[in-house]
Amino acid sequence: MFTGIVQKAALHKIVPDANGWELVVHASAFAKIVQLGDSVAIDGACLTVTKIEGELLSFFVSTESIAKTIIAHYQVGQIVNIELPMQPTGYLGGHYVLGHVDATAKVVVLNITPTAWFFKIEVPEQFAKYIVYKGSIAINGVSLTINEVHENVIELCIIPTTLDKTNINQLIVGSIVNIEFDILAKYTEQLLLKRTV
């Protein structure tokens, strides 16, 4: 489980094969901390560490994960968001993020002001039921608060600190992002469905 409070890392290498891809990420802040088999979130997708070589961490990505996330669009050298799992003794600075990407979504509007960036992101219609005004959402693994809701379009306000520490500042109109909806909304839906059966 993660919190959506991320750091930046760089994609060092992509090695494709018939069963998936090996991603190699230059992550100097985490390389001495993680161990083989640890879970790490890359742009919000929970992946397992398969190799550690100096400051390089390797991950295997299945064909299903490639198809359902922005990993399919990765290029060597690009910046990714990276996060280690939440520690029981740490602060919950964001919200509960599982690292299970629900879908991808498109940036449809970007408004840059001197104090913040405002994004409008169009999410797939079937997930609109999980969108809550002032609720939490994870975009590329970053825990954010929904600023406005217009059917299946959400607005997000990104402050300079978040822009500096994440790859959100790389997004433009038309960019595709990973999106994970709040697990509490999904659990609530399941409980309500079971009560009506």
Side-chain angles (χ1 to χ4, degrees):
M1 185 174 291
F2 304 91
T3 67
I5 306 301
V6 305
Q7 296 185 39
K8 289 191 287 191
L11 188 55
H12 180 73
K13 186 165 58 173
I14 301 171
V15 183
D17 68 28
N19 300 311
W21 290 1
E22 180 187 37
L23 296 183
V24 183
V25 177
H26 184 258
S28 55
F30 295 148
K32 293 181 180 178
I33 302 171
V34 301
Q35 299 179 5
L36 292 177
D38 282 355
S39 295
V40 175
I42 304 294
D43 279 335
C46 182
L47 302 175
T48 301
V49 177
T50 58
K51 192 188 306 178
I52 304 169
E53 295 178 329
E55 295 183 344
L56 301 177
L57 303 178
S58 295
F59 305 88
F60 175 76
V61 187
S62 70
T63 52
E64 180 180 0
S65 293
I66 293 167
K68 291 187 175 179
T69 69
I70 62 171
I71 292 172
H73 306 289
Y74 277 176
Q75 295 182 3
V76 171
Q78 82 176 70
I79 301 300
V80 295
N81 295 326
I82 186 169
E83 182 186 2
L84 296 182
M86 179 176 66
Q87 299 298 312
T89 55
Y91 294 106
L92 179 58
H95 72 284
Y96 291 117
V97 179
L98 301 184
H100 303 157
V101 175
D102 290 305
T104 58
K106 183 189 289 188
V107 176
V108 292
V109 175
L110 170 58
N111 181 21
I112 298 175
T113 75
T115 54
W117 287 21
F118 294 87
F119 285 93
K120 288 187 179 179
I121 296 178
E122 184 178 27
V123 305
E125 288 185 11
Q126 67 265 36
F127 294 104
K129 58 189 174 183
Y130 301 127
I131 298 171
V132 178
Y133 170 65
K134 296 300 181 185
S136 297
I137 199 164
I139 303 293
N140 283 357
V142 182
S143 176
L144 298 170
T145 301
I146 297 171
N147 204 39
E148 291 184 11
V149 181
H150 304 281
E151 296 181 348
N152 64 318
V153 175
I154 59 172
E155 182 182 85
L156 305 166
C157 174
I158 316 295
I159 62 174
T161 300
T162 303
L163 290 168
D164 184 56
K165 292 186 174 183
T166 72
N167 67 3
I168 299 293
N169 61 13
Q170 307 288 310
L171 300 179
I172 60 173
V173 172
S175 290
I176 305 298
V177 297
N178 285 336
I179 190 163
E180 180 182 333
F181 298 93
D182 192 351
I183 187 62
L184 298 178
K186 290 182 269 188
Y187 280 140
T188 301
E189 177 189 40
Q190 284 299 306
L191 287 170
L192 292 173
L193 285 173
K194 288 178 179 177
R195 284 186 62 184
T196 59
V197 174

